[in-house]
Amino acid sequence: YSQILIDGRPIFSALNSLYGLDQIPANMIERIEVIRGGGSAIYGGNAIAGVVNIITKMPVENSFEGKYTYGLINGKTPDYSYQINGASLSENQDIGFYIFGNYNKRETYDANNDGFSEIPFITGTSFGARAFYSPNIKSKFTFDFQSLNDYRRGGDSINLPPHEVMMAEDMTHNLNAGGITYETFFNNDLSKLSIYTSFNITNKKNYTGTDKDPNGYGKTDSKIYVAGFQYAHTINNNSVGSAILTVGGEFQDENVVNEATGYRTSLNQEVKVFGFYSQLDWFINNYINLVTGIRLDKHNFIDNLIINPRISLMYKNEDLFTLRTTFSTGYRAPQAFDEDLHAELRAGKRTIVELADNLKEEKSYSLSAGLDKYFKIGDLPFSFSGEFFFTKLNDMFVNEEEGIDEHGNIVYLKKNTSGATVTGTTLELRTSFSLYYQLQAGFTYQKSKYDEPHIWSIGVDENNIQTTDEILRSPNTYGYLTAYINPFDNLEFSLSMIYTGQMKVPHFAGGILPDGTINENDLIRTTKDFVEL
């Protein structure tokens, strides 16, 4: 439910999201922008829970850096990497480029010495560049390219071919992505026009199977092409304040071809989306800011035009507090390619997803309200933020198990259910004990429930149908803590902690229970909470 962007472009596919952001090297990233909710019409319809925008580095000065990192997991398993990056600019700074390169390797880690990996073997290389050319002071061309190669192997006996072991997941990803952007200012610098095109081509070869299964091989090819424009104009009027009007359009074409020939399953899916948006960012006075916008999308899987209005209002008094509230809508279109089912491949289960007839888009209505307050306790400054969020999902997608086909594949039917509700509160606190000591912490409590119980397992026959009213794999509590100590200009210590609370997860028949026995039926278990430090 989050829109992941690279430099503002929606080229991060469902296939790329299999490992989250783990494949993106840190030295190509300038910063990461995180926006909660879908309050901006500029971002796509998938910006329901929020937006994660990865901004890559631009050359700003001549530089070169080399880095070698070596670590040991539990004191014995090597994990290391090499990194180089550098930048160069012309004397008058009208031409510049930034390059990066990485090599990383991590050995297999077996935590409980049972012969099966808890953390897989990984080796990867990546390189890329970003360059610009400014023909004059008011215009600029930007070019970027990234190539990422990633190999992962988990299971037992990783030195043997994957079809000769008890359990294996063996994957190779090759990703090539890039784009061109042209930006120009005109109308006394009150107007800006951007025109861009981007692409992402990812090829994945994989084996996932158990018990020396010779049919576990497959491959997936994903191609995404994006082209669009954005025009922004600044309006200054002393009687009504100032405003920025933004209009734009975007076309996205994504084609996914997935093949598992041994199990006689294949998928060829092409998604085409035309999007148009308009947004007015109005600074009414020194205290009040109103953002209104609307986005129109035409998706080739949906007959009707999808309309998403969004509005945000903020009152900001720096001496007292800041109040903000947002109402937004969003959508997800039905599609058969779903990496959420990937976990069942690790259990040796092959799945097929079929789309039910007359599927509607999944629609969201979200409301959030927040308070920011700055205060002091003695000489100690504090910054407090609190936010309440509520999202109603209508016609929510669920994958209900239909049974087993003649080739032994589990058949899921993607269908609309009545919906779900996600509601919660986030609290954050920041303080600086001095210029050298900073602390930041946050905690979220939420509830994620279906409006009506939905089927998550049919077991071996219709007498074993199981339902749940809670959204699985969704913790009710989570939080973080980050501390920085900077005693000298050239020395910094940092400590970070991420807390994940309990959640209910499916545990399918055949899985090993904590007491070592094998459970005979599908069941739902509650996980323990855990901390990453």
Side-chain angles (χ1 to χ4, degrees):
Y1 292 103
S2 292
Q3 182 82 46
I4 299 178
L5 307 171
I6 307 291
D7 293 321
R9 314 292 184 241
I11 60 172
F12 200 79
S13 68
L15 179 60
N16 300 137
S17 66
L18 173 59
Y19 295 110
L21 306 179
D22 191 39
Q23 292 174 306
I24 299 178
N27 61 340
M28 69 173 272
I29 300 174
E30 175 66 31
R31 66 185 186 278
I32 299 179
E33 299 176 343
V34 179
I35 303 170
R36 289 177 178 157
S40 175
I42 294 175
Y43 302 115
N46 291 331
I48 294 173
V51 177
V52 178
N53 189 14
I54 300 169
I55 308 298
T56 59
K57 287 184 178 179
M58 284 286 286
V60 293
E61 62 181 358
N62 295 325
S63 64
F64 178 82
E65 180 184 45
K67 179 186 292 186
Y68 172 70
T69 303
Y70 185 86
L72 291 170
I73 303 173
N74 201 24
K76 61 181 181 180
T77 301
D79 182 358
Y80 60 90
S81 66
Y82 303 88
Q83 295 182 5
I84 59 169
N85 49 268
S88 179
L89 282 80
S90 62
E91 186 174 349
N92 56 4
Q93 297 192 352
D94 60 341
I95 298 175
F97 66 88
Y98 173 84
I99 60 172
F100 70 89
N102 294 274
Y103 172 79
N104 65 285
K105 185 176 181 180
R106 183 178 69 198
E107 298 292 344
T108 305
Y109 176 60
D110 180 2
N112 54 2
N113 297 315
D114 64 352
F116 294 87
S117 63
E118 269 69 49
I119 299 178
F121 172 86
I122 291 180
T123 181
T125 59
S126 60
F127 66 90
R130 198 176 196 199
F132 72 85
Y133 166 62
S134 296
N136 55 62
I137 197 172
K138 294 188 178 183
S139 60
K140 181 171 69 174
F141 291 90
T142 303
F143 312 88
D144 60 270
F145 175 77
Q146 306 96 36
S147 179
L148 310 176
N149 301 280
D150 183 272
Y151 172 72
R152 298 166 185 250
R153 170 70 182 271
D156 66 302
S157 306
I158 68 167
N159 294 321
L160 295 177
H163 63 271
E164 294 184 4
V165 302
M166 290 291 295
M167 177 183 292
E169 184 170 29
D170 185 289
M171 291 195 173
T172 301
H173 287 82
N174 295 304
L175 179 151
N176 292 285
I180 301 174
T181 301
Y182 173 70
E183 298 174 317
T184 182
F185 289 87
F186 56 96
N187 192 19
N188 295 322
D189 293 340
L190 295 176
S191 300
K192 178 184 177 182
L193 176 65
S194 299
I195 303 173
Y196 58 87
T197 180
S198 301
F199 72 92
N200 178 335
I201 300 174
T202 302
N203 306 114
K204 181 184 80 170
K205 295 180 180 179
N206 67 280
Y207 173 92
T208 307
T210 59
D211 298 326
K212 301 182 179 181
D213 185 356
N215 298 317
Y217 291 95
K219 64 178 183 177
T220 306
D221 297 324
S222 171
K223 298 178 182 178
I224 299 179
Y225 301 97
V226 175
F229 76 93
Q230 185 180 105
Y231 169 77
H233 179 69
T234 301
I235 304 169
N236 292 314
N237 190 312
N238 294 331
S239 60
V240 296
S242 61
I244 300 175
L245 174 65
T246 304
V247 296
E250 189 171 72
F251 170 70
Q252 178 181 351
D253 186 324
E254 178 179 2
N255 179 244
V256 177
V257 179
N258 180 264
E259 296 181 1
T261 54
Y263 286 90
R264 302 182 186 181
T265 63
S266 63
L267 172 73
N268 189 335
Q269 174 181 282
E270 185 167 18
V271 174
K272 295 183 179 182
V273 183
F274 292 88
F276 300 92
Y277 56 86
S278 175
Q279 180 167 292
L280 182 67
D281 195 345
W282 182 16
F283 302 91
I284 299 175
N285 53 43
N286 292 332
Y287 301 101
I288 301 176
N289 175 216
L290 177 66
V291 179
T292 58
I294 189 169
R295 186 178 182 96
L296 309 176
D297 287 297
K298 182 63 185 74
H299 196 291
N300 64 317
F301 283 13
I302 301 171
D303 293 333
N304 56 291
L305 186 68
I306 304 168
I307 303 174
N308 286 306
R310 297 170 182 178
I311 183 169
S312 298
L313 178 65
M314 181 172 69
Y315 173 82
K316 185 175 183 179
N317 187 326
E318 295 182 354
D319 297 329
L320 297 175
F321 54 79
T322 299
L323 288 173
R324 44 195 162 76
T325 182
T326 297
F327 171 77
S328 62
T329 65
Y331 80 98
R332 285 204 307 168
Q335 56 188 48
F337 185 74
D338 191 345
E339 284 290 356
D340 289 342
L341 298 175
H342 188 78
E344 298 199 21
L345 295 178
R346 300 191 188 100
K349 299 180 179 180
R350 288 284 164 177
T351 58
I352 296 175
V353 179
E354 297 179 349
L355 301 181
D357 295 332
N358 302 316
L359 266 181
K360 301 178 182 177
E361 72 273 18
E362 187 178 82
K363 192 80 172 179
S364 73
Y365 301 87
S366 299
L367 179 67
S368 66
L371 168 69
D372 299 330
K373 174 68 176 176
Y374 303 91
F375 60 93
K376 284 188 175 183
I377 299 178
D379 293 330
L380 196 60
F382 285 90
S383 171
F384 169 81
S385 296
E387 183 172 23
F388 166 79
F389 55 89
F390 170 88
T391 297
K392 181 69 176 70
L393 295 167
N394 288 341
D395 299 315
M396 186 178 184
F397 298 138
V398 294
N399 292 321
E400 290 193 355
E401 188 177 333
E402 291 285 291
I404 309 294
D405 69 6
E406 65 272 21
H407 305 297
N409 304 306
I410 300 176
V411 179
Y412 283 93
L413 184 68
K414 186 183 288 290
K415 58 188 294 186
N416 294 117
T417 189
S418 57
T421 301
V422 180
T423 183
T425 301
T426 294
L427 304 176
E428 292 183 307
L429 187 67
R430 294 172 291 275
T431 185
S432 297
F433 298 100
S434 68
L435 293 175
Y436 312 108
Y437 305 96
Q438 300 178 40
L439 184 69
Q440 182 171 336
F443 183 80
T444 297
Y445 174 80
Q446 71 169 28
K447 297 291 288 184
S448 309
K449 289 200 169 187
Y450 297 106
D451 294 342
E452 298 176 358
H454 91 276
I455 298 172
W456 73 273
S457 170
I458 63 171
V460 295
D461 56 54
E462 294 184 356
N463 296 322
N464 291 326
I465 291 177
Q466 299 189 57
T467 64
T468 178
D469 62 351
E470 294 192 44
I471 298 179
L472 302 179
R473 301 188 181 94
S474 179
N476 289 335
T477 56
Y478 50 92
Y480 72 93
L481 174 70
T482 305
Y484 296 98
I485 302 174
N486 188 202
F488 309 106
D489 289 342
N490 58 348
L491 181 64
E492 179 182 278
F493 298 94
S494 63
L495 176 69
S496 61
M497 181 187 77
I498 299 174
Y499 166 76
T500 302
Q502 296 179 344
M503 67 184 98
K504 292 188 175 182
V505 299
H507 195 108
F508 294 102
I512 302 174
L513 295 172
D515 62 3
T517 61
I518 297 178
N519 63 303
E520 301 297 332
N521 299 300
D522 296 346
L523 53 86
I524 290 178
R525 295 191 61 217
T526 300
T527 67
K528 296 179 180 180
D529 55 356
F530 62 93
V531 169
E532 298 171 76
L533 189 63

